[in-house]
């Protein structure tokens, strides 16, 4: 029954052939899997341009990008949190905190726009650090800790501003939300900077590796000498800082620091991350996915507006598209 | 010849980039123990997962009792009288032992939808006693050791009363005593005409328990023989495709000064008053049964678990090891026995896993990873350890069990530590790669590394160690020079605490 040893050679050749054959087969489905979202965006763009004359104009494109920037910044921060298998529900409230803190500074001193900027960003960073500390020290799940922080931060914004918006008349302050660099809106420039920053953090630093490892298997991370608690805390701090940044841009765009703004912003951010293929159980995901995710959400919002879909229906359509994108993504992955 | 209970013919299966099975055959007779052998990544687990309906074959056919069957999913397989002990243990950590064993087969109070937990616990207790396990049916799975979990999986598979039981490396975490219990069980099964497909990399086991053997290599059928018709060397050359002469290539190394000393280490209820030392260039083997506390002691030395008392001295100076980072900083590195729990981030790539505990070494400056150095260093190690993969960017998940174990080893070998603690280092690794790893260990020892090796495989302990420490019930039962003792002495000492007078 025994085969001859010399069979080995031909065996090797046939395996190689089989591999080459299967390799070709994969590359097609691989393409689809990798670039499925890109195709989705292209289809949306083609459809929208053919229906609406205004969609594919440079004004509208720049408009879309500007609208996207706030959710984009939030989603990039959220990507880190979700990669560690956490979640942050407090970012919407933090946007308001940043708005009132920054607003109060600029309200009292219309020239101190950079002080306002720093104030908004850093206070939110502090809030994020506190959330991270709670998670690290008391080992409570991120969902619970940030749910608590969501109401605490909202309450803080209301108490701090006495429930009233800071109406801002400073011309200089318009820079962050309404200014331009050449033809590119400043929020878009900030978004691009944040993209580059998060890209390099995630892919080129030790910290990035820790984030992936913690999300994939916290025990293995700890056994490899990684300080899991500290890394988690830094992740939530980073997310707080970025929420603060988004808050400043928003305040500048609407010329006021509003304590009640930003409600459910976290949901769009989470949606963008999940559409981008990042696993809610952590360890798997990419910045490029998140970028595609917030682009899709932005295009949907813009397109539905251009098509004059009623805002009630918009919510349903948005939900369906999100569910569809994720189903497509998971089924194409399972097929492998 | 016709009395085959199971016939798998011409099975083919591809994964992205890999041809895992290529015209594989397996014929098993009623009531026999059939060993399925092959190197890491040969396709053994894949073939068995196809049989259990976990994977679907690209081609080929399966017959049970002469009837061709299509096995859509594990539920169908169970109904056909098949059950399997998975190589990758998959307990539900938050559930109890009895809940795990009877998962999906919960007994209800008659006429109600309520689970009769009392009866399930009683049945579990009986099963546990049969296997001489001292574990409560209501203990949570996450409080058990790897070996205990493996025993529970064995019990679970047998409790289905199947006609064919597949055991994919059932003994990889077990020590001799438990293995002997398992043999007893298997002989009992044979008497009931149950067929067993038995996968193991421990050759002694095959010759002890198997009636016939089928060998796969690179997914292909190489041969099938009654066990009486072949010997160890023949079997190895069938698996590896070449001769392998020296299985335990222990090198002669001159021992230098003492580097690590542990004094009076204790952790309440786990281990007491542990004192030992290792010298540079020495390999200290650690033997003992399940629950003897050998892994726990080493985890405490590595800073992964707390200790209640005792000190650890490095070069005579006391060390304050509070966490793993402290240990690594002082040149102590440990390879954990629980590769899924503590060793690997399964969803990430081979490269990232190998790099994970070496990022300080692979960095440029304080923050940035040197991507080029990372790639080169990881690729080099993967090649040295002969990891079977299509590239270092494959996820660890997609590797065969033995190749995953090699990744765990690679993590600890990139930066040569001063003290290397290995807990079951060659668990699930095939003969060829094992010899490779053992010769690497010898190499490291020659360069002055101190190695502590926990192993359940006595031939490995006997073959590689300079001294052997035997543990039992949380205490040291004796430390011996290898030359002064036999395998039987060690086993006896581990079992009864009886020390052979020198
Ligand atoms: N889910 C999967 N995705 C991709 N490749 C896989 C998958 N499962 C197995 N493989 C590949 O198929 C081959 C055979 O793997 P298999 O697990 O059957 O090996 P094995 O003989 O059981 O090895 P070991 O002795 O290490 O357990 C390997 O090259 C492995 O990398
Ligand atoms: Mg296997």
């Amino acid at each position: 029954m025994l085969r001859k040893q010399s069979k080995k050679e031909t065996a090797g050749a046939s395996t190689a052939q089989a591999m080459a054959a299967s390799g070709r087969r994969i590359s097609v489905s691989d393409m689809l899997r990798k670039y499925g979202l890109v195709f989705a965006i292209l289809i949306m763009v083609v459809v929208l341009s053919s229906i609406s004359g205004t969609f594919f104009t440079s004004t509208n494109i720049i408009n879309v990008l500007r609208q996207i920037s706030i959710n984009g910044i939030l989603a990039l921060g959220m990507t880190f949190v979700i990669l560690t298998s956490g979640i942050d529900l407090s970012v919407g409230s933090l946007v308001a905190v940043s708005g009132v803190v920054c607003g109060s500074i600029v309200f009292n001193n219309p020239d101190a726009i950079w002080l306002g900027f720093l104030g908004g960003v850093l206070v939110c960073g502090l809030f994020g650090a506190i959330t991270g500390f709670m998670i690290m020290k008391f080992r409570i799940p991120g969902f619970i800790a940030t749910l608590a922080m969501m109401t605490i931060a909202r309450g803080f914004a209301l108490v701090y501003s006495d429930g009233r918006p800071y109406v801002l008349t400073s011309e200089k302050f318009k820079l962050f939300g309404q200014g331009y660099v050449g033809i590119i809106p400043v929020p878009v420039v900030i978004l691009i900077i944040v993209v580059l920053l998060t890209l390099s953090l995630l892919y080129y630093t030790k910290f990035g590796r820790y984030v992936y490892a913690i999300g994939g298997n916290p025990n293995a991370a700890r056994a490899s000498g990684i300080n899991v608690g500290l890394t988690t805390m830094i992740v939530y701090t980073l997310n707080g800082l970025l929420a603060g940044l988004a808050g400043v841009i928003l305040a500048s765009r609407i010329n006021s620091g509003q304590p009640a703004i930003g409600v459910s912003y976290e949901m769009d951010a989470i949606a963008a991350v999940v559409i981008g293929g990042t696993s809610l159980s952590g360890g798997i995901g990419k910045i490029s996915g998140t970028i595609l995710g917030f682009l899709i959400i932005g295009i949907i919002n813009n397109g539905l507006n251009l098509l004059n879909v009623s805002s009630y229906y918009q919510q349903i359509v948005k939900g369906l598209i999100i569910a569809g994108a994720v189903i497509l993504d998971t089924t194409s992955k399972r097929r492998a | 010849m016709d009395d085959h209970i199971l016939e798998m013919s011409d099975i083919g299966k591809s994964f992205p980039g890999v041809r895992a099975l290529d015209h594989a055959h397996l014929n098993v007779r009623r009531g026999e123990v059939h060993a399925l052998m092959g190197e890491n990544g040969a396709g053994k687990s894949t073939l068995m997962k196809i049989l259990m309906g976990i994977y679907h074959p690209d081609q080929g056919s399966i017959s049970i009792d002469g009837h061709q069957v299509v096995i859509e999913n594990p539920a169908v397989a169970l109904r056909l009288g098949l059950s399997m002990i998975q190589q990758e243990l998959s307990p539900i950590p938050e559930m109890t032992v009895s809940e795990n064993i009877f998962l999906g087969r919960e007994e209800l109070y008659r006429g109600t939808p309520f689970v009769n937990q009392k009866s399930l616990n009683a049945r579990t207790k009986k099963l546990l006693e049969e296997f001489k396990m001292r574990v409560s049916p209501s203990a949570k799975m996450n409080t058990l050791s790897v070996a205990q979990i493996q025993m529970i999986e064995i019990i679970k598979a047998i409790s289905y009363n199947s006609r064919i039981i597949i055991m994919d490396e059932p003994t990889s975490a077990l020590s001799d005593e438990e293995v002997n219990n398992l043999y007893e069980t298997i002989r009992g099964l044979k008497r009931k005409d149950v067929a067993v497909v038995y996968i193991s990399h421990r050759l002694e086991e095959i010759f002890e328990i198997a009636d016939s053997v089928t060998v796969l290599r690179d997914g292909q059928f190489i041969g099938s023989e009654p066990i009486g018709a072949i010997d160890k060397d023949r079997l190895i050359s069938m698996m590896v495709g070449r001769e392998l002469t020296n299985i335990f290539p222990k090198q002669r190394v001159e021992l230098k000064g003492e580097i690590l000393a542990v004094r009076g280490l204790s952790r309440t209820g786990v281990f007491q008053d542990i004192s030992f030392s290792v010298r540079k260039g020495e390999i200290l083997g650690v033997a003992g049964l399940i629950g003897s506390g050998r892994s726990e002691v080493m985890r405490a030395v590595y800073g992964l678990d707390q200790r209640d008392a005792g000190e650890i001295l490095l070069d005579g100076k006391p060390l304050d090891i509070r966490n793993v980072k402290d240990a690594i900083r002082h040149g102590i590195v440990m390879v954990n026995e629980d590769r899924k729990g503590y060793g690997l981030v399964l969803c990430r790539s081979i490269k990232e896993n190998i790099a994970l505990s070496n990022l300080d070494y692979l960095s440029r400056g304080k923050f940035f990873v040197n991507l080029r150095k990372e790639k080169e260093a990881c690729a080099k190690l993967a090649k040295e350890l002969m990891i079977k993969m299509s590239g270092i960017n494959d996820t660890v998940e997609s590797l065969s069990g033995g190749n995953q174990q090699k990744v765990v080893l690679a993590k600890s070998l990139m930066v040569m530590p001063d003290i290397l603690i290995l807990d079951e280092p060659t668990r699930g690794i095939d003969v060829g790669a094992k010899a490779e790893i053992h010769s690497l260990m010898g190499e490291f020892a020659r360069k002055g590394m101190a190695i502590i090796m926990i192993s359940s495989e006595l031939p490995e302990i006997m073959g590689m160690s300079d001294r052997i420490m035997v543990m039992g019930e949380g205490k040291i039962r004796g430390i011996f020079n290898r030359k002064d003792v036999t395998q039987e002495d060690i086993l006896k000492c581990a079992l009864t605490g009886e020390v052979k007078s020198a």
Side-chain angles (χ1 to χ4, degrees), chain A residues 336, chain B residues 13-16 18-21 37-49 55 87-88 168-169 199 201 216 219 339 388-390 394-395 397-404 428-430:
Chain B
K13 174 76 187 169
S14 291
F15 294 110
V18 190
R19 183 106 177 113
L21 290 172
M37 304 290 290
E39 290 180 290
N40 295 134
K44 306 178 295 292
S45 299
T46 305
L47 188 64
M48 292 301 102
K49 285 180 184 166
Y55 295 149
Q87 178 179 17
E88 301 305 325
D168 195 350
E169 300 196 28
I199 301 176
H201 289 292
L216 298 179
R339 66 170 170 252
K388 192 181 171 201
M389 57 184 184
S390 34
D394 290 3
T395 61
E397 237 159 6
S398 71
L399 296 180
S400 77
N403 284 301
Q404 290 184 4
I429 286 188
D430 68 49

Side-chain angles (χ1 to χ4, degrees), chain B residues 154-203:
Chain B
I154 292 173
I155 292 174
K156 180 174 176 178
I158 289 171
S159 73
Y160 282 96
N161 294 320
S162 313
R163 294 183 298 159
I164 304 173
I165 300 182
I166 302 155
M167 303 189 176
D168 195 350
E169 300 196 28
T171 55
S172 63
L174 302 187
S175 63
D176 280 27
E177 176 65 4
E178 293 95 26
V179 173
N180 281 329
N181 280 342
L182 179 65
Y183 289 165
E184 274 312 301
T185 311
I186 292 179
R187 290 190 184 110
L189 290 171
K190 274 175 68 170
R191 280 194 291 275
K192 290 189 221 157
D193 242 12
V194 174
V196 175
V197 180
Y198 193 93
I199 301 176
S200 174
H201 289 292
R202 299 188 187 175
L203 297 182

Side-chain angles (χ1 to χ4, degrees), chain A residues 44-57:
Chain A
M44 277 160 64
V45 168
V46 171
V47 170
L48 286 171
S49 332
S50 63
I51 302 178
S52 157
T54 37
F55 180 78
F56 210 68
T57 57

Side-chain angles (χ1 to χ4, degrees), chain A residues 31-69:
Chain A
M31 281 271 286
L32 256 174
R33 185 166 28 164
K34 258 193 188 144
Y35 303 112
L37 290 174
V38 178
F39 289 135
I41 290 181
L42 286 180
I43 292 170
M44 277 160 64
V45 168
V46 171
V47 170
L48 286 171
S49 332
S50 63
I51 302 178
S52 157
T54 37
F55 180 78
F56 210 68
T57 57
S58 60
T59 2
N60 189 50
I61 289 172
I62 285 176
N63 192 19
V64 171
L65 288 175
R66 185 171 38 215
Q67 284 169 356
I68 282 171
S69 56

Side-chain angles (χ1 to χ4, degrees), chain A residues 2-3 5 8 11 18-19 26 204-206 209-210 212-213 216-217 219-220 222-226 283-284, chain B residues 16-17 19 217-218 220 222 234 238 302 340-342 344-345 348 360 363 366-369 371 374 411:
Chain A
L2 205 69
R3 293 199 186 181
Q5 290 309 316
K8 176 87 183 166
M19 270 170 68
I26 300 146
Y204 299 105
T205 69
K206 290 197 270 181
R209 298 303 167 85
Y210 296 170
Y212 278 120
N217 183 349
N219 282 328
R222 197 160 62 91
S224 302
I226 293 169
I284 302 171
Chain B
R19 183 106 177 113
R217 193 195 314 145
D218 293 330
Q220 293 191 317
I222 299 296
R234 179 91 199 95
M238 278 170 81
Y302 186 50
K340 253 172 104 183
Y342 289 87
L344 296 170
V345 185
R348 304 304 306 174
D360 287 337
S363 286
K366 205 165 156 39
F367 298 108
F368 289 97
V369 180
L371 296 183
E374 180 191 34
K411 278 176 72 174

Side-chain angles (χ1 to χ4, degrees), chain A residues 8-19:
Chain A
K8 176 87 183 166
E9 272 175 43
T10 53
S14 73
T15 340
Q17 259 168 15
M19 270 170 68

Side-chain angles (χ1 to χ4, degrees), chain A residues 25-315:
Chain A
R25 211 169 39 239
I26 300 146
S27 56
V28 177
S29 72
D30 234 25
M31 281 271 286
L32 256 174
R33 185 166 28 164
K34 258 193 188 144
Y35 303 112
L37 290 174
V38 178
F39 289 135
I41 290 181
L42 286 180
I43 292 170
M44 277 160 64
V45 168
V46 171
V47 170
L48 286 171
S49 332
S50 63
I51 302 178
S52 157
T54 37
F55 180 78
F56 210 68
T57 57
S58 60
T59 2
N60 189 50
I61 289 172
I62 285 176
N63 192 19
V64 171
L65 288 175
R66 185 171 38 215
Q67 284 169 356
I68 282 171
S69 56
I70 287 175
N71 186 39
I73 291 168
L74 295 178
L76 287 165
M78 190 67 79
T79 307
F80 283 79
V81 176
I82 292 182
L83 278 177
T84 63
S85 80
I87 193 117
D88 193 340
L89 302 176
S90 69
V91 289
S93 300
L94 291 184
V95 165
V97 167
S98 166
V100 294
V101 169
C102 166
S104 71
I105 293 170
V106 177
F107 184 77
N108 291 319
N109 187 351
D111 283 338
I113 63 166
W114 287 103
L115 191 66
F117 178 94
L118 277 180
V121 172
L122 293 181
V123 168
C124 287
L126 184 66
F127 273 87
I130 294 169
T131 313
F133 183 78
M134 285 199 288
I135 293 168
M136 169 175 104
K137 187 76 189 168
F138 306 109
R139 292 171 190 251
I140 25 179
F143 186 92
I144 311 284
T146 60
L147 188 67
M149 187 49 88
M150 177 169 109
T151 56
I152 294 171
R154 178 68 61 192
F156 175 88
L158 288 164
V159 170
Y160 184 89
S161 64
D162 214 4
R164 289 189 298 269
Y166 295 94
V167 178
L168 305 173
T169 50
S170 163
E171 276 303 315
K172 276 190 186 163
F173 184 64
K174 288 187 174 163
L175 172 71
F176 303 120
Q178 304 176 41
Y180 283 87
V181 176
I183 56 154
I184 305 170
V186 171
V188 178
V189 175
I190 296 178
L191 177 65
I192 291 169
I193 292 171
V194 173
V195 165
L196 294 177
L197 201 97
T198 47
L199 266 177
S200 30
L201 256 182
L202 197 55
Y203 301 141
Y204 299 105
T205 69
K206 290 197 270 181
F207 170 74
R209 298 303 167 85
Y210 296 170
V211 168
Y212 278 120
I214 289 173
N217 183 349
N219 282 328
R222 197 160 62 91
S224 302
I226 293 169
N227 191 332
V228 175
L230 183 67
T231 308
T232 307
M233 191 167 145
I234 295 175
V235 165
Y236 280 89
T237 309
L238 175 74
N239 195 39
L241 290 170
L242 290 177
L245 183 59
V248 172
I249 295 174
L250 184 63
S252 161
R253 206 166 84 196
I254 58 178
N255 295 319
S256 93
Q258 305 226 19
I261 209 160
V263 175
S264 86
Y265 275 28
E266 60 277 351
M267 287 306 155
D268 268 6
I270 294 168
V273 177
V274 173
I275 290 174
T278 296
S279 154
L280 278 173
S281 46
I284 302 171
K286 285 183 180 158
I287 295 288
S288 58
T290 298
I291 295 175
L292 295 174
F294 66 69
L295 282 175
I296 286 185
I297 291 188
I299 294 173
I300 295 173
N301 282 337
N302 179 261
L304 294 176
N305 275 331
L306 288 183
L307 299 179
N308 286 324
V309 178
S310 105
S311 64
Y312 300 160
Y313 279 108
Q314 280 198 16
Q315 304 209 20

